């Protein structure tokens, strides 16, 4: 008959192992980040479970009993080995993962259609995407890399430019046909403008550079460029599109550029990584792979033939 194993009280066992090493509840509590009372309670649970006294409690100190001393010799090393094994697993796991922050629109329209190529080249690696939109600061985060729009001025980082931001008006082919292809700039005054919440200035930027007037109506507003581009593809109106991000949509004909008046905003898309920690091998491979996609020289590894 198979041996029946007990459900061991692991938290009390660990508390006892640490207290036995320090021979004081106070130091053990500091090590574990809990109170001295909590340490004492955990050890009492273990003593009740075993039916023996492990510590002699005195007014201002504690002392291992003979049983406690003998028991500690057997389990302290086991918990040490357990912690080392756990650290090795966590280290090996982190060595195969790239944690990257990237805008949702950039993920959807640019990265995801290409990401299979990275996995085909490096099947042992994986990329975890953080799509939160907030100021970039690597301190206190798990991030290895960020794909950001800006001027390349992030502090305590290195960065490489992938491509400049170029914008133009986009819409569905059907919407363009409704206005006879927007052959005249004045046709814009009758159209519905689609605005992304955090990119409202770009309509004015494009109109000033293209020398056209915008309609007085408020148009339609969306929480993100991702939603605004989706609305444009569904024929709801005109959106200001980031041309390099939407190249697949434009090549397929799902979106068109009726005015064909591209405008550079002065910002660029960058790969950004922190200088406060070493760059892992998977992150190096991923950075070089992204640079290759954009026709840029590698940052870390020399290409064959160079």
């Amino acid at each position: 008959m198979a041996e029946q194993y007990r459900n061991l009280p692991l938290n009390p066992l660990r508390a006892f192992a640490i207290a036995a090493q320090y021979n004081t509840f106070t130091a053990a509590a500091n090590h574990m980040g809990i109170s001295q009372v909590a340490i004492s309670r955990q050890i009492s649970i273990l003593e009740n479970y075993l039916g023996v006294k492990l510590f002699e409690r005195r007014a201002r100190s504690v002392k291992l009993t003979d049983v406690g001393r003998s028991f500690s010799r057997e389990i302290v090393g086991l918990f040490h080995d357990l912690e080392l094994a756990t650290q090795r697993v966590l280290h090996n796991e982190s060595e195969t993962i790239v944690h990257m922050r990237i805008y949702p629109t950039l993920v959807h329209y640019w990265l995801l259609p290409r990401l299979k190529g990275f996995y085909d080249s490096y099947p042992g690696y994986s990329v975890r995407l953080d799509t939160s939109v907030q100021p970039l600061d690597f301190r206190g985060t798990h991030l290895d890399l960020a794909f950001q729009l800006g001027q390349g001025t992030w502090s305590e980082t290195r960065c490489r430019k992938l491509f400049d931001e170029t914008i133009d008006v986009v819409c569905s082919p059907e919407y363009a046909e409704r206005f006879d292809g927007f052959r005249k700039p004045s046709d814009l005054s009758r159209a519905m403008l689609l605005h992304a919440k955090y990119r409202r200035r770009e309509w004015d930027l494009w109109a000033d550079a293209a020398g056209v007037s915008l309609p007085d109506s408020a148009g339609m507003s969306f929480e993100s460029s991702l939603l605004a581009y989706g609305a444009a593809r569904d024929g709801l109106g005109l959106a200001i599109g980031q041309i390099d991000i939407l190249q697949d949509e434009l090549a397929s004909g799902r979106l068109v550029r009726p005015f064909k008046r591209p405008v550079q905003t002065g910002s660029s898309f960058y790969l950004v990584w922190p200088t406060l920690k070493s760059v892992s091998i998977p992150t190096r491979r991923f950075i070089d792979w992204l640079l290759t996609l954009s026709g840029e020289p590698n940052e870390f590894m020399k290409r064959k033939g160079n």
Side-chain angles (χ1 to χ4, degrees), residues 255-304:
L255 288 174
V256 297
R257 294 166 53 198
F259 295 96
K260 293 184 174 60
R261 299 191 183 190
V263 174
Q264 289 197 340
T265 66
S267 295
S268 302
F269 287 96
Y270 288 86
L271 295 177
V272 191
W273 61 96
T275 56
L276 298 178
K277 67 177 182 177
S278 61
V279 184
S280 69
I281 291 176
T283 302
R284 295 182 186 190
R285 298 286 190 269
F286 192 48
I287 289 171
D288 283 348
W289 180 80
L290 290 167
L291 289 167
T292 299
L293 283 184
S294 299
E296 296 293 327
N298 282 0
E299 175 70 21
F300 297 101
M301 304 291 290
K302 293 186 66 174
R303 295 182 189 172
K304 294 181 180 179

Side-chain angles (χ1 to χ4, degrees), residues 20-306:
Q21 284 180 279
Y22 285 105
N23 208 26
T24 162
F25 287 1
T26 302
N30 290 336
H31 178 92
M32 296 184 68
I34 59 178
S35 69
Q36 181 178 342
V37 172
I39 285 284
S40 181
R41 185 181 303 119
Q42 289 292 313
I43 291 172
S44 293
I45 291 172
L46 182 60
E47 289 175 329
N48 291 333
Y49 177 84
L50 297 173
V52 297
K53 296 297 290 184
L54 299 172
F55 278 95
E56 293 179 3
R57 290 165 173 79
R58 300 171 180 175
R60 297 183 179 274
S61 64
V62 294
K63 181 182 177 181
L64 282 165
T65 64
D66 290 340
V67 174
R69 189 175 299 106
S70 177
F71 189 43
S72 70
R73 292 194 193 102
E74 295 191 57
I75 72 165
V76 167
L78 295 176
F79 272 96
H80 178 70
D81 291 343
L82 181 60
E83 290 198 7
L84 288 179
T86 303
Q87 290 172 10
R88 283 195 296 271
V89 170
L90 292 173
H91 176 74
N92 292 336
E93 175 73 3
S94 67
E95 283 297 302
T96 66
I97 298 171
V98 180
H99 297 268
M100 181 171 72
R101 176 169 294 170
I102 184 171
Y103 304 115
T105 306
L106 198 53
V107 172
H108 182 82
Y109 287 106
W110 195 87
L111 181 60
L112 287 184
R114 295 162 174 77
L115 194 55
K116 183 178 180 295
F118 178 72
Y119 288 134
D120 288 344
S121 299
Y122 302 101
Y125 297 155
S126 61
V127 181
R128 292 185 181 172
L129 303 175
D130 175 342
T131 57
S132 59
V133 180
Q134 53 185 294
L136 180 62
D137 187 348
F138 286 102
R139 292 171 298 183
T141 74
H142 60 284
L143 296 174
D144 301 305
L145 181 66
F147 199 157
Q148 297 285 288
L149 178 65
Q151 309 294 327
T153 56
W154 296 275
S155 62
E156 298 178 329
T157 66
R158 290 198 63 182
C159 61
R160 284 285 303 274
K161 185 170 77 171
L162 288 185
F163 45 82
D164 294 320
E165 184 187 37
T166 303
I167 59 175
D168 200 359
V169 176
V170 298
C171 65
S172 69
E174 296 76 17
Y175 194 80
E177 287 178 9
R178 285 174 52 188
F179 294 87
D180 197 24
F182 290 98
R183 296 181 182 180
K184 303 185 298 297
S186 59
D187 291 337
L188 187 66
S189 63
R190 300 184 290 115
M192 174 69 72
L193 303 192
L194 309 177
H195 301 274
K197 180 178 178 179
Y198 298 104
R199 301 175 58 82
R200 297 189 69 89
R201 75 176 189 90
E202 294 200 342
W203 263 113
D204 293 327
L205 180 65
W206 179 85
D208 289 343
V212 299
S213 299
L214 298 177
D216 294 331
S217 63
M220 297 176 63
S221 294
F222 299 87
E223 282 293 315
S224 67
S225 296
L226 182 63
L227 294 175
Y229 296 160
R233 193 173 66 178
D234 290 340
L236 295 182
L238 301 171
I240 287 291
Q242 296 160 302
I243 302 308
D244 287 283
I245 293 177
L246 295 173
Q247 54 188 262
D248 292 346
E249 296 291 297
L250 294 165
S252 69
R254 291 187 291 267
L255 288 174
V256 297
R257 294 166 53 198
F259 295 96
K260 293 184 174 60
R261 299 191 183 190
V263 174
Q264 289 197 340
T265 66
S267 295
S268 302
F269 287 96
Y270 288 86
L271 295 177
V272 191
W273 61 96
T275 56
L276 298 178
K277 67 177 182 177
S278 61
V279 184
S280 69
I281 291 176
T283 302
R284 295 182 186 190
R285 298 286 190 269
F286 192 48
I287 289 171
D288 283 348
W289 180 80
L290 290 167
L291 289 167
T292 299
L293 283 184
S294 299
E296 296 293 327
N298 282 0
E299 175 70 21
F300 297 101
M301 304 291 290
K302 293 186 66 174
R303 295 182 189 172
K304 294 181 180 179
N306 287 0

